[in-house]
């Protein structure tokens, strides 16, 4: 039987609720919304860790960062199998387009075709993605293939931001305009975890414009897939590596930090316009792609989504999901663990000692500065700014009532039972996965004996 091709498309820093199909702006991502109508959407899918290289390393190994070695911007350990090794051994041709150095060590992946960011208009030119992908398809007519197409949008610098030229210099001239540019007055409300300030609205509009250019890349690639006649034999997966690069999102463990807009189109297998509302980990993608390709995944931390996609088994919804954080792009360590259980989100901040201050790339640009400037005259904003810098060891949120994670209930006696249940579940996970911070976590919680 002919093997399925696999096309894995990733966005860079696109929040899980940005596409229209996931409740976002109805004009932000028309091609992704069409892809969602052609496949299955996962409305509660989460990446393992909300920063790009470790998130991608987890996807390509099916293992937690502390088990594959890539907790931050480090290479995957040599003894850990990676997806392309397994697929290559099964006769697949493999290619990567953009974000090449965000999977380390690069030689381990054995890509048959490598297209760097600079060849793709700094990872933001739909035409160049289309040309490079079409060339790869021409070379792969006689073999199954796996292609990882990585858009560099909507990563900072956003379209229209003052720092585009500062970051890219003259090379910025090769970056095309998005097919739609948003303004502050037509971008819609800012996410609920951010204050509604003029500069925040401006920057959110810039972000949406960049998200639209990511959608343009998706459109260009899928058009080439159709033109080459490969669409009917190709499993298409789309997701983002983490939330958007704003305060309280990327490089954290909040709901919006790890929620990803997962879409799977599997022609003739997945029911179009279908939906899975259960908690889903992106560690599940590795065994899923292995099963589709007919290779054994080995020992991994995820479980195949094939039963959900095919509807062949009565798959129960997961009761809990864990996400983690270790290290920023600047290699600052902020150990965090999060568990979603019984409608609550619990975060343990292993770094929060009252004096250590959080600093990350999500504090660049207009939004964080606007929050700092307003803090002098707005007590609510001041409290948010101060909390973001130092946090609390324990955070607990009622995700049904407070999805933006604004009210920390960890010290509320009325929620003591929920706090203990989440802590007990996280403790069990840390023990099972041999989390090296288990002892430190145990020292900060007070649980009944035997838990």
């Amino acid at each position: 039987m002919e093997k399925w091709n696999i096309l894995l498309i990733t966005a860079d820093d696109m929040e899980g609720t940005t596409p229209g199909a996931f409740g976002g702006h109805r004009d932000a991502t028309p091609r992704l919304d069409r892809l969602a109508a052609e496949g299955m959407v996962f409305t509660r899918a989460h990446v393992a860790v909300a920063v790009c290289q470790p998130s991608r390393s987890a996807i390509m190994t099916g293992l937690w960062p502390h088990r594959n070695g890539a907790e931050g911007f480090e290479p995957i350990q040599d003894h850990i199998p990676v997806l392309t090794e397994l697929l290559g051994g099964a006769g697949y041709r493999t290619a990567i387009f953009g974000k090449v150095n965000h999977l380390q060590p690069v030689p381990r992946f054995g890509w048959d075709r490598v297209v760097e960011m600079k060849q793709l208009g700094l990872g933001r030119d739909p035409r160049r993605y289309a040309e490079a992908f079409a060339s790869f398809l021409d070379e792969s007519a006689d073999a199954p293939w796996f292609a990882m197409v990585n858009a560099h949008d909507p990563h900072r610098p956003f379209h229209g931001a003052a720092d585009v030229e500062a970051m890219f210099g003259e090379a910025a001239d090769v970056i095309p305009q998005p097919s739609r540019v948003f303004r502050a007055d037509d971008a819609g409300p800012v996410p609920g975890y951010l204050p509604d300030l003029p500069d925040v609205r401006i920057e959110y509009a810039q972000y949406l414009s960049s998200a639209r250019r990511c959608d343009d890349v998706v459109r260009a690639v899928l058009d080439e897939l159709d033109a080459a006649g490969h669409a009917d034999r190709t499993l298409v997966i789309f997701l983002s590596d983490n939330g958007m690069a704003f305060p309280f999102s990327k490089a954290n463990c909040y709901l919006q930090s790890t929620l990803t807009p997962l879409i799977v189109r599997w022609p003739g297998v997945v029911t179009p316009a279908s939906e899975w509302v259960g908690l889903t980990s992106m560690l599940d993608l590795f065994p899923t792609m292995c099963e589709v390709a007919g290779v054994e995944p080995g020992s991994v931390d995820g479980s195949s989504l094939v039963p959900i996609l095919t509807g062949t088994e009565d798959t129960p919804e997961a009761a809990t999901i864990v996400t983690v954080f270790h290290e920023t792009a600047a290699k600052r360590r902020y150990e965090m663990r999060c568990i979603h259980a019984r409608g609550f989100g619990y975060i343990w901040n292993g770094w929060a000692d009252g004096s250590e201050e959080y600093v990350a790339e999500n504090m660049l640009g207009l939004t964080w500065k606007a929050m700092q400037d307003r803090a002098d005259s707005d007590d609510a904003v001041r409290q948010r700014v101060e909390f973001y810098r130092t946090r609390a060891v324990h955070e607990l949120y009622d995700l049904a009532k407070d999805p933006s994670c604004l009210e920390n209930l960890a010290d509320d006696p009325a929620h003591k039972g929920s706090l203990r249940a989440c802590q007990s579940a996280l403790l069990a996970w840390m023990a099972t996965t041999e989390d090296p911070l288990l002892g430190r976590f145990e020292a900060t919680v007070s649980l009944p004996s035997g838990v």
Side-chain angles (χ1 to χ4, degrees):
M1 181 179 178
E2 185 181 357
K3 293 183 177 180
W4 285 93
N5 305 312
I6 302 173
L7 173 58
L8 177 63
I9 307 175
T10 73
D12 201 351
D13 297 3
M14 179 184 285
E15 196 151 298
T17 58
T18 294
F22 291 82
H25 196 295
R26 62 183 180 85
D27 293 330
T29 58
R31 188 59 185 93
L32 284 176
D33 296 346
R34 178 179 154 196
L35 182 67
E38 297 165 346
M40 178 179 288
V41 298
F42 290 72
T43 58
R44 299 170 71 199
H46 289 264
V47 294
V49 52
V51 69
C52 48
Q53 184 161 326
S55 177
R56 294 164 186 273
S57 297
I59 290 168
M60 297 296 279
T61 62
L63 295 171
W64 291 105
H66 70 272
R67 285 161 56 83
N68 68 33
E71 291 186 348
F73 287 68
E74 302 91 18
I76 295 165
Q77 294 175 357
D78 290 342
H79 69 282
I80 301 297
V82 298
L83 180 65
T84 48
E85 289 178 324
L86 300 180
L87 296 184
Y92 276 73
R93 286 181 50 79
T94 62
I96 185 168
F97 303 83
K99 306 294 291 187
V100 176
N101 290 323
H102 282 71
L103 288 170
Q104 294 281 350
V106 174
R108 279 284 316 281
F109 286 83
W111 302 104
D112 294 304
R113 181 75 176 272
V114 173
V115 185
E116 300 278 2
M117 177 181 81
K118 289 183 178 179
Q119 300 170 266
L120 298 166
L122 300 179
R124 293 164 170 83
D125 188 338
R127 179 183 60 81
R128 297 192 185 194
Y129 274 92
E131 291 172 352
F133 184 57
S135 176
F136 171 71
L137 294 181
D138 288 343
E139 298 168 358
S140 306
D142 299 325
W145 51 263
F146 167 79
M148 188 176 190
V149 175
N150 303 307
H152 285 247
D153 274 320
H155 193 287
R156 291 179 179 273
F158 304 133
H159 174 76
D163 56 351
V164 174
E165 289 190 8
M167 180 171 289
F168 295 137
E170 293 181 359
D173 294 339
V174 305
I175 303 175
Q177 290 255 350
S179 58
R180 173 169 178 185
V181 175
F182 291 86
R183 303 180 308 277
D185 60 356
D186 65 5
V190 301
Y193 54 87
L194 296 173
D196 189 4
L197 305 174
D199 277 358
V200 177
R201 292 195 294 271
I202 289 171
E203 189 160 58
Y204 184 59
Q206 293 171 348
Y207 161 81
L208 282 182
S209 297
S210 293
R212 178 57 174 260
R213 191 167 51 203
C214 174
D215 191 76
D216 296 339
V217 167
V218 173
R219 178 187 301 277
V221 169
L222 292 180
D223 283 351
E224 293 300 330
L225 185 72
D226 289 340
H230 287 243
D232 289 344
R233 291 298 307 166
T234 301
L235 172 73
V236 177
I237 301 171
F238 173 85
L239 75 156
S240 174
D241 57 358
N242 48 249
M244 66 187 198
F246 283 67
F248 291 97
S249 185
K250 179 183 178 179
N252 285 287
C253 276
Y254 296 107
L255 176 66
Q256 59 269 9
S257 304
T258 56
L259 189 69
T260 188
L262 177 63
I263 305 171
V264 180
R265 186 182 77 181
W266 195 355
V269 179
V270 166
T271 302
S274 55
E275 179 182 69
W276 178 254
V277 298
L279 289 166
T280 309
S281 171
M282 292 308 88
L283 295 176
D284 298 339
L285 290 182
F286 183 94
T288 300
M289 290 184 284
C290 285
E291 183 171 349
V292 170
V295 300
E296 288 296 323
S299 178
V300 294
D301 293 322
S303 300
S304 174
L305 298 175
V306 168
I308 294 171
L309 295 168
T310 60
T312 55
E313 298 179 19
D314 185 14
T315 307
E317 294 183 14
T320 63
I321 194 167
V322 172
T323 62
V324 304
F325 191 79
H326 301 285
E327 183 180 290
T328 70
K331 295 192 175 295
R332 296 184 177 96
R333 299 288 293 195
Y334 300 104
E335 294 285 0
M336 309 176 201
R337 306 291 185 271
C338 174
I339 189 163
H340 296 175
R342 302 181 184 180
F344 285 84
Y346 166 72
I347 300 170
W348 175 68
N349 294 303
W351 61 276
D353 59 6
S355 59
E356 178 82 9
E357 285 204 5
Y358 175 90
V359 179
E361 57 273 20
N362 55 50
M363 299 159 85
L364 300 173
L366 300 178
T367 295
W368 179 246
K369 184 179 184 303
M371 292 173 67
Q372 289 179 299
D373 291 344
R374 182 59 66 93
D376 292 337
S377 59
D378 188 319
D379 191 57
V381 175
R382 178 187 60 78
Q383 291 181 36
R384 288 290 278 172
V385 167
E386 291 178 354
F387 182 79
Y388 195 57
R389 285 186 174 127
T390 58
R391 310 298 168 87
V393 176
H394 308 290
E395 298 181 57
L396 181 71
Y397 301 99
D398 184 336
L399 297 179
K401 297 179 180 178
D402 181 23
S404 296
C405 301
L406 298 174
E407 184 181 2
N408 183 10
L409 304 172
D411 293 329
D412 186 341
H415 292 92
K416 186 175 181 179
S418 296
L419 177 66
R420 283 188 170 181
C422 289
Q423 290 174 334
S424 297
L426 182 59
L427 180 69
W429 174 87
M430 293 178 80
T432 299
T433 65
E434 300 180 320
D435 190 320
L437 268 63
L438 173 61
R440 194 193 302 183
F441 175 69
E442 288 180 308
T444 67
V445 298
S446 177
L447 295 171
S449 60
V451 174

